[in-house]
Amino acid sequence: MRRRSINIYSLLFITLILLSYTNKLHAQFYITSRSLKKEQPRIAFDSLTYTSVNNETVSGFGFVNPIDAKSIVFVKEKPNESLVKGWKDVKVKSATIYTSKLKDLSFRMLDLDPNLDSIQKKRILTTNYAIDDTIQVFFLRNIKGAIANSLRTLYYENSKARIFKDISSNYYATSQIVYFQKTEKPVYESDTYFLNYNNHKAFKKSVKRFFKTCPKIVENAQNGDYFPRSGKAFRKIADDYERYCEN
């Protein structure tokens, strides 16, 4: 029990540190003209691989542009200077972004914990305990509704459906919208539909509009399924689509 409480409080403290740090980053991203500063902090650049609009695969370092989430800020080589100049703004079809900031902070915190002996430290530090963060973002276009095309995070996928969310970050304006695609075509070529989770009435209306050819989904939504907004609800609507609906 003692070890579990140590990890919980350590991770809670780490989270507070990280939130404080990203708040500082937030201030550095913007200027009044709504464009990015020419110098960006090194800590913002994560390892990533992207697919260009010409289907080229490129590796380097960067982050999704926080101004409009329609492109990524990119450099080819790992930044060494504290402020990074000469970055490029790149339009992409998709990107896989790996960040180890939380893991690095956790390692440092656990290493300083006086209640852990050297054997415990070694075991914890050499074990991947699910705090690495790898996200996949895709440019969604052809969105059915008055919603701008931009990069979104892939949340869940099965043989017939994909679910996307807005990019989670304290410097992106997230919404209560969830995005749905069929898997008949690649992401970049597919039509995208949105589910409005702002309230239950709006949600049921959006389900009725976009799943009109699948009455089972509409029926379930009217009976209270798939709401409120949660990971469980997203997975259920995608899995029910796979089970009950024809592409």
Side-chain angles (χ1 to χ4, degrees):
M1 292 297 294
R2 184 181 182 186
R3 181 181 169 189
R4 179 176 293 180
S5 64
I6 289 171
N7 285 339
I8 290 172
Y9 287 117
S10 295
L11 289 175
L12 178 59
F13 186 57
I14 292 162
T15 302
L16 292 174
I17 291 174
L18 191 61
L19 287 174
S20 174
Y21 205 29
T22 52
N23 280 334
K24 293 178 181 178
L25 287 179
H26 184 201
Q28 298 184 63
F29 277 126
Y30 296 99
I31 58 176
T32 55
S33 63
R34 291 288 295 172
S35 62
L36 289 179
K37 291 183 176 180
K38 293 181 179 179
E39 296 181 341
Q40 290 296 317
R42 179 178 60 192
I43 190 66
F45 287 79
D46 289 316
S47 176
L48 61 80
T49 300
Y50 73 79
T51 300
S52 73
V53 293
N54 296 319
N55 292 319
E56 296 176 325
T57 300
V58 182
S59 296
F61 301 82
F63 53 91
V64 178
N65 189 329
I67 299 299
D68 58 10
K70 291 185 178 180
S71 59
I72 64 169
V73 172
F74 179 79
V75 292
K76 183 66 176 176
E77 304 297 331
K78 184 175 183 179
N80 293 316
E81 62 275 19
S82 59
L83 292 175
V84 181
K85 303 176 183 178
W87 49 266
K88 296 180 180 179
D89 193 54
V90 182
K91 300 288 186 182
V92 301
K93 284 187 175 181
S94 63
T96 300
I97 304 172
Y98 170 79
T99 176
S100 59
K101 294 182 180 68
L102 181 56
K103 184 175 182 179
D104 289 343
L105 284 170
S106 300
F107 282 3
R108 274 182 267 155
M109 290 298 300
L110 290 168
D111 193 47
L112 293 172
D113 192 334
N115 296 304
L116 297 175
D117 61 33
S118 59
I119 296 175
Q120 289 175 313
K121 290 177 183 178
K122 184 176 180 179
R123 181 168 62 248
I124 293 171
L125 294 175
T126 55
T127 301
N128 183 346
Y129 46 99
I131 58 171
D132 291 343
D133 186 15
T134 301
I135 64 170
Q136 290 181 288
V137 296
F138 293 84
F139 191 86
L140 303 187
R141 56 181 186 171
N142 303 323
I143 298 179
K144 301 301 182 180
I147 296 177
N149 301 329
S150 66
L151 291 162
R152 320 281 179 174
T153 302
L154 177 64
Y155 178 80
Y156 182 70
E157 182 177 21
N158 60 33
S159 66
K160 286 189 176 180
R162 306 182 190 102
I163 298 288
F164 300 85
K165 300 194 303 180
D166 286 325
I167 295 169
S168 297
S169 172
N170 74 318
Y171 49 79
Y172 296 109
T174 57
S175 70
Q176 295 300 306
I177 302 298
V178 171
Y179 308 88
F180 180 95
Q181 279 189 353
K182 302 175 184 180
T183 58
E184 296 169 316
K185 299 178 182 179
V187 174
Y188 194 68
E189 299 172 13
S190 294
D191 289 339
T192 303
Y193 305 88
F194 72 88
L195 303 177
N196 186 348
Y197 274 90
N198 280 289
N199 57 69
H200 203 179
K201 183 178 179 180
F203 172 74
K204 289 189 288 186
K205 185 176 179 180
S206 63
V207 168
K208 188 175 181 179
R209 181 185 305 120
F210 298 127
F211 293 95
K212 57 187 176 183
T213 60
C214 187
K216 183 63 175 178
I217 296 290
V218 176
E219 177 187 348
N220 288 349
Q222 295 300 317
N223 291 334
D225 284 5
Y226 321 127
F227 196 90
R229 190 178 191 272
S230 69
K232 182 179 179 180
F234 305 156
R235 292 189 296 271
K236 181 170 174 54
I237 196 169
D239 288 342
D240 280 358
Y241 183 85
E242 182 182 44
R243 181 179 179 182
Y244 297 116
C245 307
E246 296 292 333
N247 277 345

